[in-house]
Amino acid sequence: MSAVALEQQQFTPVERRVTFGGLLRSEWIKFWSVRSIVVTMAVAFVAIVGLGVLLAWATASSFADPETAQQMAAQGFDPVSASLQGAQMASLIVAAVGVIVIAGEFSTGMIRTSFAAAPGRLGVYAAKAVVLAVSVAVVMGVGVLLAFLLGQAVLEREGVGASLGDENVVRALLGHVAMLTGFALSGLAVGALLRNSAGAICTVLAAIFVVPLLLMAVPESWGGETIREYYFTNTTINALGVTDQSAYLEPAAGLALFAVWIAVLLGLGALVLKKRDV
């Protein structure tokens, strides 16, 4: 074999296809190697467990007063919600994580490398969504369960705790996990739409926290009740507790509509990623 032939054999490039499995591995490594994401996920976990136990303890202290206990019982006390108040704060945090996952790469320019490796772009976006959803569901799911168990142990001192076998308790726990996962994915979608971390985080936080408050001021003559019932963050309300509120959708219908909201947001994000230049 001649020297030229030997050199060609040694340096012939090998074409390798980018598979979705490879994209998943890449996004998994990126997700858990970014310090800000790891720290933010840890803060969300602490918020669920720490605030849940703290507020459960405060609630249990209130039951020590017979008059207060009677008022809370008359209002329909929900022990599950009492131990999972920290999930409301955590929902804002995981939404910010979703934004950082994609908008952070736009700010650093790393997204160009990702899209150069997978020119179709949507594979990268889908891999980010899967890794984000799985990570949030698992980590926050553990946090929700731990907050429930510890919170109910505190409430049980006053005889008002609940157990996993009670009616609708498991549904409420799964509802919280679904809510947290959905908010994280909504952050990813808005991050893809705006491509700016600060702007996307402010937008998501406003949609989750501010808009529902503003909708309370919409008069019934303008369809305020219907708007509030079908608005993004309100669709999961009955899935988060053991008792249903008649003003909002039933748990199954609410979660289904919540999934539609998330799918639409993710679809808009995919459309923008496909059409706009990096």
Side-chain angles (χ1 to χ4, degrees):
M1 181 180 295
S2 66
V4 174
L6 181 60
E7 183 177 356
Q8 289 178 343
Q9 183 179 7
Q10 290 176 340
F11 295 99
T12 301
V14 178
E15 182 179 353
R16 295 185 182 275
R17 292 185 58 190
V18 177
T19 64
F20 187 66
L23 291 175
L24 284 175
R25 288 192 294 272
S26 174
E27 293 302 328
W28 180 267
I29 293 171
K30 284 193 288 184
F31 186 93
W32 289 108
S33 61
V34 177
R35 183 177 302 175
S36 61
I37 291 179
V38 175
V39 171
T40 308
M41 289 284 286
V43 171
F45 184 89
V46 172
I48 292 176
V49 179
L51 288 177
V53 174
L54 181 62
L55 294 174
W57 176 81
T59 303
S61 299
S62 299
F63 270 94
D65 177 27
E67 184 177 348
T68 303
Q70 186 177 7
Q71 291 177 353
M72 295 178 68
Q75 294 171 358
F77 174 66
D78 184 349
V80 177
S81 297
S83 63
L84 292 177
Q85 291 298 312
Q88 302 303 317
M89 176 63 70
S91 65
L92 305 179
I93 300 172
V94 296
V97 170
V99 170
I100 295 170
V101 165
I102 191 164
E105 288 198 30
F106 276 102
S107 62
T108 62
M110 178 63 72
I111 198 70
R112 295 188 180 91
T113 304
S114 299
F115 287 166
R121 300 187 179 185
L122 296 187
V124 174
Y125 184 55
K128 287 182 181 295
V130 171
V131 169
L132 176 66
V134 171
S135 299
V136 170
V138 172
V139 176
M140 298 303 112
V142 173
V144 165
L145 180 59
L146 187 58
F148 170 78
L149 295 176
L150 294 176
Q152 298 313 307
V154 173
L155 292 171
E156 192 56 37
R157 295 179 180 179
E158 299 296 331
V160 293
S163 66
L164 287 173
D166 292 346
E167 185 178 7
N168 296 332
V169 168
V170 173
R171 184 195 74 183
L173 299 182
L174 293 177
H176 277 85
V177 177
M179 176 196 70
L180 290 163
T181 305
F183 284 167
L185 290 173
S186 69
L188 178 72
V190 175
L193 286 168
L194 300 185
R195 304 186 176 192
N196 178 274
S197 296
I201 289 175
C202 289
T203 300
V204 174
L205 297 190
I208 294 174
F209 185 71
V210 179
V211 174
L213 297 178
L214 296 177
L215 291 179
M216 298 299 293
V218 178
E220 301 305 321
S221 59
W222 292 6
E225 182 177 354
T226 302
I227 294 173
R228 287 189 291 271
E229 183 178 14
Y230 288 92
Y231 179 66
F232 173 47
T233 59
N234 291 341
T235 56
T236 61
I237 286 180
N238 277 331
L240 303 180
V242 296
T243 57
D244 295 345
Q245 301 182 40
S246 59
Y248 296 100
L249 293 171
E250 294 182 358
L255 287 175
L257 182 57
F258 184 64
V260 171
W261 272 100
I262 300 301
V264 170
L265 288 172
L266 288 172
L268 291 174
L271 181 63
V272 169
L273 284 182
K274 193 71 175 177
K275 297 296 183 182
R276 286 177 56 186
D277 292 334
V278 178

